[in-house]
Amino acid sequence: MRIDEDIKLDFKDVLIRPKRSTLRSRAEVDLKREYIFRHSNLVWQGIPVIAANMDHTGTFEMAQVLAKHRLLTAIDKFASVEQWKKQSKEMRQHCFVSSGTRDQDFEHLKKVMAAVDCSLICLDIANGYSQHFIDFIKKTRELFPNKIIMAGNVVTGEMAEELTLAGVDIVKVGIGPGSVCTTRKKTGVGYPQLSAIIECSDAAHGLKGHVCADGGCVVPGDVAKAFAAGADFVMLGGMFAGHDECSGEIIEEGGEKFKRFYGMSSEEAMTRYHGEVAGYRASEGKSVNASYKGAVENTILDILGGLRSTCTYVGAARLKELFKRTTFIKVTQQLNDSYTSCEVCTSQQVSD
C-alpha cells in the first residue's frame, strides 16, 4: 500500500483565468476541429462533442439533431442491425458503433459493421485496466484496421499509453465522475476528472493519440474546462438527458415532467438487458428521474455558446487554441458552492 499525496483536481476545483483578447464577438470563434488518427489514418472534421453511449442518450433521434451541428453520437450497443440499416449513410458518419467485450458483443459488432458503412467504433468497459480489454482491442484493431476506434475507460497516463499502443485512436477517460455512476461509492476506486484528463492527454498526445473526457460535466463551463485541460473530445450523458430525443416516456409527478435516466451498470439497466444483476457483482450505477427539457436543440446551442464565450475570455480564436491559452486557477469551494478564495495553480499552468 502507498499514498500518492500529489494534489488531484476536479472541474469544481478550478476556474479559467481571463486574458487579453482581440476577439470582438463570440461569432468569431471556430469550434470545429480536424484530427488525423494514429492507427486508422482517417481524417475527421467537426465539433468534438459526443452524446454518451447510454440507451437514454445514445439514440438515433439524438444523432439526427447532433449531426446537423457536426457533433457526434455514440449509439448504444443494444441497437439492432435493422435499426442501423434504417439510418442514412450521411447520418451514420456522425455515429459510433458501440460494443462491449463479450463474445456476443464482438459478433454483433461484426454484423453491424458488415451491414452499414460506418468509420467510428466505441469499445466500452467500466474497467479498462484488464488484460482481457487489451486483448479485445487488439482483436478489434486487427479486424478493422481502417476504422477509428475509441476505447476505455482509464484515468492514468500509463494506461492511456498502453491503450494507444494496443490500437486505440481515442482513449476514453473517466472512472466514476458520471452523474448516474456509483463506482466510487461502491468500490472506492476513481480519479478526479480534471487531473485524469491532464495526465492522460499528456501521455496519449506524446504517442500521437487522442483522448475523450467521459463524465463529470454538469454545466457548459465544465465542457470548456475539459477541452482546456487537453481533451480532444468530450462525451456527455447527464447534460443530454431528459430531452425529446432521449429514449423513454415522459413521467409526470407533482406537476413536473421527467424522463427516466440510469447508468448502464445500474440494477435497472442490467435487469432490462440481462434479466438480473449477476450474483457475483453489485450494480455500479443509479436510476434517477431527469427533468424533462424538451428538444435537445436548445441545450446544444447553450453548450456551444458557452464554449465560444470561454474562448473569447482567453483570446482563443479557435477551439484548438484553448489549451494553449488556458491558465487554471485552483479555488477553495465553500459549503454554499461559491468560490471565495483562490490562488494561481502554477503546477497546472499552461503558458501562452
Side-chain angles (χ1 to χ4, degrees), residues 28-283:
E28 296 179 20
V29 176
D30 184 3
L31 296 180
K32 295 189 297 294
R33 294 296 311 266
E34 178 177 292
Y35 297 122
I36 301 175
F37 296 101
R38 171 189 167 113
H39 296 283
S40 63
N41 289 317
L42 293 180
V43 178
W44 177 85
Q45 294 179 325
I47 298 177
V49 173
I50 309 171
N53 55 314
M54 310 167 83
D55 68 355
H56 182 68
T57 56
T59 67
F60 290 111
E61 293 78 12
M62 180 71 72
Q64 288 174 357
V65 181
L66 266 61
K68 296 176 183 177
H69 295 272
R70 305 288 298 278
L71 274 64
L72 298 164
T73 302
I75 302 299
D76 82 88
K77 67 181 180 180
F78 300 104
S80 67
V81 175
E82 289 69 29
Q83 288 176 300
W84 274 100
K85 287 181 177 179
K86 293 178 181 179
Q87 312 308 314
S88 68
K89 181 178 179 180
E90 181 180 1
M91 199 274 284
R92 290 196 298 258
Q93 296 311 306
H94 297 275
C95 297
F96 284 87
V97 180
S98 299
S99 174
T101 60
R102 300 176 303 168
D103 291 340
Q104 52 266 50
D105 294 327
F106 191 64
E107 292 303 314
H108 180 68
L109 175 63
K110 290 194 293 185
K111 290 177 182 178
V112 173
M113 298 302 289
V116 300
D117 179 19
C118 188
S119 60
L120 300 163
I121 295 173
C122 175
L123 304 181
D124 186 61
I125 189 172
N127 180 9
Y129 287 77
S130 67
Q131 184 59 46
H132 164 72
F133 187 49
I134 299 297
D135 295 339
F136 190 88
I137 289 169
K138 292 178 179 178
K139 181 170 67 172
T140 305
R141 173 55 70 194
E142 184 177 357
L143 186 61
F144 302 109
N146 301 317
K147 303 297 183 182
I148 299 167
I149 296 178
M150 176 170 68
N153 284 20
V154 299
V155 290
T156 52
E158 65 271 16
M159 208 63 193
E161 290 176 345
E162 185 161 355
L163 264 61
T164 301
L165 294 173
V168 173
D169 291 305
I170 309 167
V171 176
K172 202 144 67 77
V173 176
I175 293 180
S179 60
V180 287
C181 180
T182 60
T183 295
R184 295 178 182 178
K185 291 183 178 180
K186 286 292 181 73
T187 70
V189 175
Y191 210 94
Q193 184 69 346
L194 186 81
S195 288
I197 296 166
I198 291 171
E199 294 172 27
C200 289
S201 63
D202 180 63
H205 292 166
L207 296 173
K208 297 183 179 180
H210 297 78
V211 300
C212 173
D214 176 19
C217 293
V218 296
V219 292
D222 294 337
V223 181
K225 290 174 185 178
F227 282 120
D232 302 292
F233 296 84
V234 176
M235 178 174 279
L236 304 175
M239 290 185 69
F240 281 141
H243 293 93
D244 291 329
E245 294 78 9
C246 298
S247 65
E249 299 298 323
I250 297 175
I251 304 167
E252 291 196 33
E253 291 183 358
E256 297 185 33
K257 294 182 179 180
F258 304 91
K259 271 199 166 186
R260 196 67 169 165
F261 178 47
Y262 49 78
M264 296 309 290
S265 290
S266 67
E267 181 178 356
E268 187 168 344
M270 287 189 284
T271 300
R272 167 173 287 193
Y273 294 109
H274 305 295
E276 62 179 354
V277 179
Y280 59 83
R281 64 168 299 175
S283 68

